[in-house]
Amino acid sequence: MERTLSLVKPDGVKRNLVGEVISRFEKAGLKVIGLKMLRLTKTQAEAFYAVHKGRPFFDELTTYMSSGPIVAMVLEGEDAIAKVREIMGATDPKEAAPGTIRADLGLNKGENTVHGSDSPENAVKEIAFFFSENELIEGER
Ligand code: IDP
Ligand code: MG
């Protein structure tokens, strides 16, 4: 069992795609064990994407990620990290495989509808960024 952090980005929330994104994860067998809607400040977006500090797109990315509400979720399942990355598709919707969220719904390389953790280390950090342990519901329901 593995956990990962996914976000429906501002372009997805704005276009009423929250349910569509969650539905794709659930249909793949992943369980939602934490869920919330929030709006990041610019400073919080800069902290979340700190690994990209110094990249040419950093300011555009963090301005965009703080431009409107997002939905944060923790997904659990076997190979959850890789599964979510596969369902999301490549960063640039133009390069994403057909049938992936980004190919079907993404607008451009920046406004690409979803985020998903890229490694076990980052998943732990990113989950902790948005959720405390008592906000994650596991087991029988
Ligand atoms: P990922 O989300 O597929 O893991 P990363 O390379 O980690 O992609 O980049 C994080 C986010 O930064 C992307 O999802 C996208 O929103 C944005 N981004 C990445 N590269 C560019 C770019 O070249 N132009 C604009 N935005 C970008
Ligand atoms: Mg990434």
Side-chain angles (χ1 to χ4, degrees), residues 81-116:
I81 296 168
K83 243 183 217 171
V84 165
R85 296 287 297 186
E86 196 182 318
I87 295 164
M88 276 173 25
T91 308
D92 188 341
K94 291 198 293 282
E95 286 159 20
T100 60
I101 292 173
R102 284 165 165 175
D104 290 349
L105 308 170
L107 297 175
N108 52 62
K109 200 172 181 181
E111 298 169 301
N112 55 7
T113 316
V114 277
H115 168 86

Side-chain angles (χ1 to χ4, degrees), residues 49 51-52 85 91 115-118 126:
Y49 280 113
V51 289
H52 293 308
R85 296 287 297 186
T91 308
H115 168 86
S117 307
D118 64 3
E126 292 180 357

Side-chain angles (χ1 to χ4, degrees), residues 4-123:
T4 190
L5 187 277
S6 180
L7 303 175
V8 183
K9 295 183 175 185
D11 68 279
V13 174
K14 208 167 288 176
R15 291 180 292 139
N16 290 357
L17 296 172
V18 173
E20 170 76 26
V21 169
I22 295 176
S23 177
R24 289 181 183 222
F25 293 143
E26 287 190 318
K27 281 176 183 151
L30 295 160
K31 284 227 178 300
V32 178
I33 63 162
L35 185 66
K36 63 174 72 170
M37 178 176 263
L38 71 153
R39 183 170 174 166
L40 294 174
T41 63
K42 176 85 154 88
T43 303
Q44 288 171 326
E46 287 167 358
F48 182 72
Y49 280 113
V51 289
H52 293 308
K53 201 169 162 58
R55 299 274 194 93
F57 59 85
F58 184 70
D59 187 61
E60 178 190 333
L61 170 63
T62 53
T63 298
Y64 158 63
M65 286 300 292
S66 55
S67 69
I70 61 170
V71 170
M73 73 194 88
V74 178
L75 298 161
E76 188 177 72
E78 216 169 293
D79 292 324
I81 296 168
K83 243 183 217 171
V84 165
R85 296 287 297 186
E86 196 182 318
I87 295 164
M88 276 173 25
T91 308
D92 188 341
K94 291 198 293 282
E95 286 159 20
T100 60
I101 292 173
R102 284 165 165 175
D104 290 349
L105 308 170
L107 297 175
N108 52 62
K109 200 172 181 181
E111 298 169 301
N112 55 7
T113 316
V114 277
H115 168 86
S117 307
D118 64 3
S119 68
E121 301 71 42
N122 286 335

